[in-house]
Amino acid sequence: MKSQSALVAGGSGFVGSHLCESLLNDGYDVFCIDNFGSGSRENISHLTSSGNFEVIEADIREPLDLPPVDEIYHLASRASPKDFQKYPVRIALANTKGTRNLLDYAVEHDAKMLFASTSEVYGDPEVHPQNESYNGNVNIRGPRGCYDESKRFGETLTVAYNNKHDLDVRTVRIFNTYGPRMHMDDGRVVPNFITQALKGEDLTVYGDGSQTRSFCYVSDLIRGIEKTMQADGLAGEVINLGNEDERTIHELAETIIDISGTESGITHEPLPEDDPSRRRPDLSKARQILDYETEVELREGLRKTLEYFEDQI
Ligand SMILES: NC(=O)c1ccc[n+]([C@@H]2O[C@H](COP(=O)([O-])OP(=O)(O)OC[C@H]3O[C@@H](n4cnc5c(N)ncnc54)[C@H](O)[C@@H]3O)[C@@H](O)[C@H]2O)c1
């Protein structure tokens, strides 16, 4: 029987590298396409000896000439809040022009596609927890607009291609995910806190720390992504993926101080503009359609992530 093939755009990034690894383990032929902007060759160095893995250095914002595949996973967008200030145009175009290029490629080869959207499409939510039918509260002109709004338009494109071309394209809205291979200095809260704890520096909490997030360990997310691609009847649909275990940022800081055994304390700095006050996915749809349950508890996931960062420092 012919093996399945998949292309992972953004395959050398944090989430993408775990997805490539998992698809290879499942017996796929995997093509990783990346411009190595925020991803790294080191993230995928353990995969390159596999005869079923090919790396293509290319930018999805440019016209694409790629091999035919059965499945396309679009994860090619920087996701670090630091980068929203540094690379706003690149980010906006990766999720719009880049999404269009990949959708055209999917139509050309009659491939199935999955678009990695984000919980940021909900902005600073007035509805809690957030389910897929909530339309969000995004500041389209604010400092996070390049990311939040381009993901929203990326989603609109997937619906348009589903309607116009009958393309089987699915969207996942990913909530805060963490784990090994995140960048130490990428500005997201888990790597920030772990790096500070390992260096013995105080952990910087923005605001009073009462804002909440729900943290998903990367292996749980990858299982959800693969289930979304495989499930019947999801063409044109959107599904939340993440973890429902909601914690305050202050609690996260204390947990990381505890498991790392650091002497670090906690300092406070002003809250950045448009920082969402609450974030928790409603996972009813994922549970019902995908039988999705998270398996990795926060302390366990943080411990594994800490071990990875210890080797990086
Ligand atoms: N990690 C999370 O918590 C989270 C949450 C919500 C959504 N997401 C989405 O998941 C996807 C992966 O996120 P991540 O956390 O792994 O980020 P990441 O920065 O580690 O990975 C993104 C990858 O895409 C590549 N890339 C970016 N622009 C590109 C372009 N124009 N052409 C080719 N490659 C390009 C980067 O080099 C990198 O390898 C993104 O689409 C992100 O928006 C992630």
Side-chain angles (χ1 to χ4, degrees):
M1 201 178 94
K2 181 182 162 290
S3 62
Q4 288 266 97
S5 56
L7 179 132
V8 181
S12 82
F14 158 51
V15 178
S17 61
H18 287 278
L19 180 61
C20 287
E21 187 174 330
S22 179
L23 290 168
L24 282 170
N25 286 338
D26 293 344
Y28 277 74
D29 291 326
V30 178
F31 298 89
C32 159
I33 166 174
D34 208 295
N35 66 359
F36 297 99
S38 54
S40 74
R41 291 194 185 270
E42 203 190 327
N43 282 346
I44 47 171
S45 58
H46 61 301
L47 307 177
T48 46
S49 59
S50 160
N52 302 328
F53 186 62
E54 194 175 315
V55 180
I56 303 168
E57 184 164 354
D59 193 307
I60 60 156
R61 292 168 298 164
E62 304 301 328
L64 299 172
D65 182 17
L66 298 168
V69 287
D70 303 307
E71 298 175 4
I72 299 161
Y73 297 82
H74 175 9
L75 282 76
S77 165
R78 289 171 180 267
S80 146
K82 268 191 185 169
D83 288 345
F84 301 167
Q85 317 305 319
K86 249 179 157 172
Y87 304 105
V89 179
R90 288 186 199 187
I91 290 171
L93 292 180
N95 288 306
T96 53
K97 198 173 173 194
T99 303
R100 185 200 177 166
N101 286 340
L102 289 174
L103 286 163
D104 282 337
Y105 162 57
V107 170
E108 184 186 346
H109 295 293
D110 196 19
K112 253 165 117 177
M113 178 161 152
L114 180 140
F115 174 52
S117 183
T118 168
S119 56
E120 303 299 331
V121 300
Y122 299 123
D124 191 5
E126 303 119 319
V127 166
H128 195 76
Q130 295 82 52
N131 70 32
E132 292 85 350
S133 58
Y134 175 51
N135 283 329
N137 175 36
V138 165
N139 177 359
I140 60 171
R141 301 177 61 88
R144 308 169 72 95
C146 63
Y147 184 70
D148 304 6
E149 196 60 21
S150 67
K151 288 289 188 186
R152 290 167 68 91
F153 184 67
E155 286 201 28
T156 304
L157 276 179
T158 65
V159 175
Y161 271 70
N162 175 250
N163 288 337
K164 170 83 178 157
H165 299 286
D166 201 22
L167 180 71
D168 186 340
V169 51
R170 295 128 191 255
T171 294
V172 289
R173 290 188 183 145
I174 303 172
F175 284 65
N176 294 63
T177 299
Y178 70 98
R181 301 194 205 128
M182 291 188 95
H183 264 298
M184 283 173 60
D185 61 352
D186 94 348
R188 284 181 271 189
V189 63
V190 171
N192 272 2
F193 283 176
I194 291 185
T195 308
Q196 289 174 321
L198 289 175
K199 289 182 175 167
E201 297 167 1
D202 284 354
L203 278 60
T204 313
V205 168
Y206 295 103
D208 65 2
S210 63
Q211 68 274 31
T212 67
R213 298 290 182 273
S214 309
F215 297 100
C216 179
Y217 189 67
V218 64
S219 58
D220 283 332
L221 173 70
I222 297 300
R223 225 182 34 263
I225 288 177
E226 291 189 271
K227 276 173 176 258
T228 304
M229 186 62 112
Q230 301 316 328
D232 290 331
L234 280 182
E237 287 282 324
V238 60
I239 263 188
N240 282 342
L241 291 178
N243 190 315
E244 285 173 335
D245 180 13
E246 183 180 3
R247 307 288 179 114
T248 66
I249 293 298
H250 190 82
E251 202 182 339
L252 177 75
E254 286 190 324
T255 308
I256 289 176
I257 288 173
D258 183 36
I259 60 174
S260 66
T262 180
E263 298 290 310
S264 306
I266 294 176
T267 53
H268 293 268
E269 283 190 18
L271 207 55
E273 190 184 345
D274 292 337
D275 197 52
S277 54
R278 298 186 77 184
R279 199 33 76 64
R280 173 156 66 95
D282 178 337
L283 297 178
S284 314
K285 189 170 175 182
R287 200 171 288 117
Q288 195 187 341
I289 297 180
L290 309 176
D291 202 18
Y292 174 76
E293 292 295 345
T294 51
E295 289 173 0
V296 182
E297 186 266 328
L298 184 66
R299 287 183 79 88
E300 183 193 341
L302 288 175
R303 240 183 239 112
K304 291 183 188 182
T305 312
L306 196 87
E307 273 169 28
Y308 170 81
F309 279 91
E310 272 168 346
D311 287 343
Q312 302 294 307
I313 276 188

